[in-house]
Amino acid sequence: MQILRCPAQLQILEETLRKSLPATLPVLGTVMTVARGNPAAHEVLVDSWPRFSVVLTRLCPEEHKDPRDYYTNQLSVFYRDEGALRALLGGTEAVSRARAFQIMGMQEGLDEAVQEVAGARGLHVE
């Protein structure tokens, strides 16, 4: 996963996400916040740039105070390809299993993908 920090990249991503509203709403808000100064200390990650399949937003890792606080450890995701989402959840360190977290998204298939990946790892999902 690649962290987007460049204002020009964040602007392009914001414009791209606006074209897919309302499905992009959970990540679009964070992308806009990061592009405008990032007062909440979030990160925007993409699987590739400029042709991305998954966008993930999260609190910067150094800001995590309590590994059990899944409200603070909130992730938002938008994906164009469910296979890329499953790869993100199952095979990268972008989603840490060392702490509790919530994952938010508005697309069909997200819950099933999370359940499947968690089940394969023997993890409990609520």
Side-chain angles (χ1 to χ4, degrees), residues 9-23:
Q9 290 176 327
L10 291 166
Q11 182 64 37
I12 292 168
L13 180 60
E14 182 179 330
E15 291 169 7
T16 303
L17 293 173
R18 284 182 187 274
K19 295 175 186 174
S20 297
L21 282 169

Side-chain angles (χ1 to χ4, degrees), residues 3-124:
I3 300 173
L4 296 186
R5 292 188 177 100
C6 172
Q9 290 176 327
L10 291 166
Q11 182 64 37
I12 292 168
L13 180 60
E14 182 179 330
E15 291 169 7
T16 303
L17 293 173
R18 284 182 187 274
K19 295 175 186 174
S20 297
L21 282 169
T24 59
L25 195 57
V27 295
L28 179 58
T30 304
V31 170
M32 292 173 64
T33 300
V34 170
R36 288 159 179 78
N38 200 15
H42 279 89
E43 294 180 324
V44 177
L45 295 91
V46 293
D47 60 334
S48 60
W49 186 257
R51 296 191 185 276
F52 62 89
S53 296
V54 178
V55 179
L56 177 78
T57 64
R58 66 181 185 189
L59 189 64
C60 294
E62 57 273 5
E63 295 296 320
H64 291 284
K65 307 294 187 225
D66 183 356
R68 299 167 303 191
D69 184 358
Y70 56 88
Y71 287 110
T72 301
N73 302 328
Q74 212 169 58
L75 310 171
S76 297
V77 67
F78 169 73
Y79 55 94
R80 294 179 173 167
D81 173 31
E82 196 170 315
L85 171 68
R86 291 175 190 275
L88 167 75
L89 294 173
T92 69
E93 291 304 314
V95 178
S96 173
R97 288 151 204 82
R99 58 183 168 262
F101 63 88
Q102 288 187 71
I103 189 161
M104 299 175 10
M106 295 182 63
Q107 295 167 273
E108 287 189 36
L110 176 60
D111 185 52
E112 293 82 6
V114 170
Q115 293 285 348
E116 182 180 308
V117 171
R121 293 182 175 265
L123 301 172
H124 174 69

